[in-house]
Amino acid sequence: MGVRFFEKLLTFVFDIVAVNLAFVAAFWLRYHSGVFPEALDPSRNLLTYVPVMGVFTVAWVMLFFFTGLYRDWYKESRIDEFFVVA
């Protein structure tokens, strides 16, 4: 395994973790934090939303892949990379 493959694999894993952490944070913020009193519902359980979280994770990773975020950037300029990511 090359260094570039390990770097891409690490990026892929961190993207999955980041999408799931964002989902959990949004769930907690909406239903358990009390910031939105009209949506406060401590009886809601995150485990019921695991299938939805899986769908969102797959959708985001596919979006990242199809927009070229996992391609080899070593052959392009940092400006091109910035505009693709932005």
Side-chain angles (χ1 to χ4, degrees):
M1 282 191 201
V3 173
R4 290 184 184 171
F5 176 77
F6 181 69
E7 182 180 303
K8 287 184 184 204
L9 181 65
L10 201 60
T11 302
F12 179 74
V13 169
F14 278 128
D15 283 345
I16 291 172
V17 169
V19 168
N20 286 311
L21 282 176
F23 189 89
V24 169
F27 177 84
W28 178 82
L29 188 65
R30 180 168 174 95
Y31 296 117
H32 293 280
S33 70
V35 173
F36 304 103
E38 66 277 356
L40 183 66
D41 188 3
S43 66
R44 290 196 185 240
N45 189 358
L46 181 64
L47 293 177
T48 59
Y49 289 92
V50 169
V52 176
M53 193 165 42
V55 170
F56 273 103
T57 301
V58 169
W60 275 105
V61 169
M62 285 178 53
L63 178 70
F64 293 160
F65 178 76
F66 287 126
T67 56
L69 293 179
Y70 296 128
R71 68 179 174 198
D72 197 9
W73 289 102
Y74 294 105
K75 299 175 187 168
E76 299 189 26
S77 71
R78 295 292 177 202
I79 294 172
D80 291 338
E81 180 181 359
F82 172 77
F83 283 115
V84 169
V85 171

